[in-house]
Amino acid sequence: MPNAQPYRALLHLGILLSGRGSNFLAIADSIREGRLPGVEISVVISNVPDAPGLKTAQQMGLPAAAFDSRGRKREAHEADVVACLRQHNVDLVCLAGYMRLLSPAFVAAFPHRILNIHPSLLPAFPGLEAQEQAFVYGVKIAGCSVHFVDEELDHGAILVQRAIPVLETDDAHTLAARILAEEHKAYTEAIAMVASGEYEIRGRRYVRHNA
Ligand code: GAR
């Protein structure tokens, strides 16, 4: 991967979500509270028109758009989403509970400019219901990962991982809740790492310049 270009101006985020939107809200809170200087949310997009996260974005006065993916061909749906992201001059796409696999064409439209959060310590437990998968498997350490998106599911270079112990008293639900609290911190950390521009990706490794 070529060296990342440093951001000298604002970094415009495009948030994609399908549901609750707590990761989106955590990012918005970080911006509001000054933890992500030089970063702003330019648009929030959902493939689910009644997603609670989209409603939250509207209530916050952010540009928000719904492109219903039901019954539409992937290419046509994605073309609408990509056009909307471009219209809002998005530099960095943040998947925040966006429950759709992106096509190679979408990934190529934002090369090394799409992040995803996944509720497991990748490469363990990709796919759906990762927290439940980890709990049932009986792992002792669980967590979350923020990674660049590539053409494979939950696969690209990892920026941040946060780990927590699985407690004797946990069930899949309490474990997921404690992982979610870590997700909210991890996404802000990862966006700050990209916003710094002071890095390159070597193979699968995020390497900070002057580290
Ligand atoms: C989060 O736990 C996120 O990691 C997960 O969906 C949830 C969305 O919650 N994403 C995936 O599993 C993607 N493979 P949120 O809508 O409250 O941010």
Side-chain angles (χ1 to χ4, degrees), residues 2-210:
N3 287 1
Q5 292 302 310
Y7 288 103
R8 301 189 201 290
L10 270 179
L11 181 69
H12 299 102
L13 304 184
I15 309 274
L16 267 53
L17 55 81
S18 300
R20 177 176 57 181
S22 74
N23 276 288
F24 149 58
L25 201 52
I27 295 166
D29 285 348
S30 290
I31 292 172
R32 204 188 52 234
E33 291 161 14
R35 289 193 297 275
L36 284 172
V39 176
E40 69 172 33
I41 296 173
S42 295
V43 65
V44 178
I45 298 173
S46 183
N47 65 313
V48 178
D50 59 355
L54 198 60
K55 189 168 277 180
T56 306
Q58 285 158 349
Q59 285 164 352
M60 291 168 70
L62 287 168
F67 298 100
D68 198 339
S69 52
R70 280 171 300 184
R72 295 198 65 198
K73 285 226 157 59
R74 181 175 299 274
E75 309 85 72
H77 177 258
E78 285 192 348
D80 286 347
V81 174
V82 168
C84 185
L85 291 167
R86 291 209 191 288
Q87 191 190 329
H88 288 87
N89 297 314
V90 165
D91 305 298
L92 182 67
V93 180
C94 295
L95 308 187
Y98 190 64
M99 302 316 249
R100 283 179 68 80
L101 192 58
L102 302 188
S103 73
F106 193 136
V107 175
F110 291 90
H112 312 130
R113 286 285 174 266
I114 308 174
L115 301 183
N116 180 44
I117 188 151
H118 185 72
S120 78
L121 294 172
L122 291 170
F125 312 119
L128 293 177
E129 292 173 5
Q131 310 95 322
E132 170 103 23
Q133 291 186 57
F135 182 77
V136 169
Y137 196 90
V139 299
K140 300 297 181 192
I141 305 286
C144 63
S145 309
V146 183
H147 63 92
F148 285 110
V149 171
D150 65 11
E151 291 76 11
E152 293 178 51
L153 177 67
D154 299 329
H155 179 265
I158 291 170
L159 284 147
V160 175
Q161 291 190 305
R162 293 182 70 95
I164 55 166
V166 180
L167 306 177
E168 297 264 327
T169 50
D170 268 329
D171 56 30
H173 185 73
T174 59
L175 180 62
R178 288 193 301 111
I179 292 172
L180 190 64
E182 300 305 314
E183 292 184 42
H184 295 164
K185 298 175 204 155
Y187 225 146
T188 293
E189 284 177 44
I191 292 168
M193 287 164 74
V194 174
S196 77
E198 305 279 318
Y199 67 95
E200 62 189 62
I201 304 296
R202 284 191 210 142
R204 293 189 45 85
R205 300 185 59 76
Y206 174 98
V207 180
R208 197 183 296 277
H209 288 161
N210 308 316

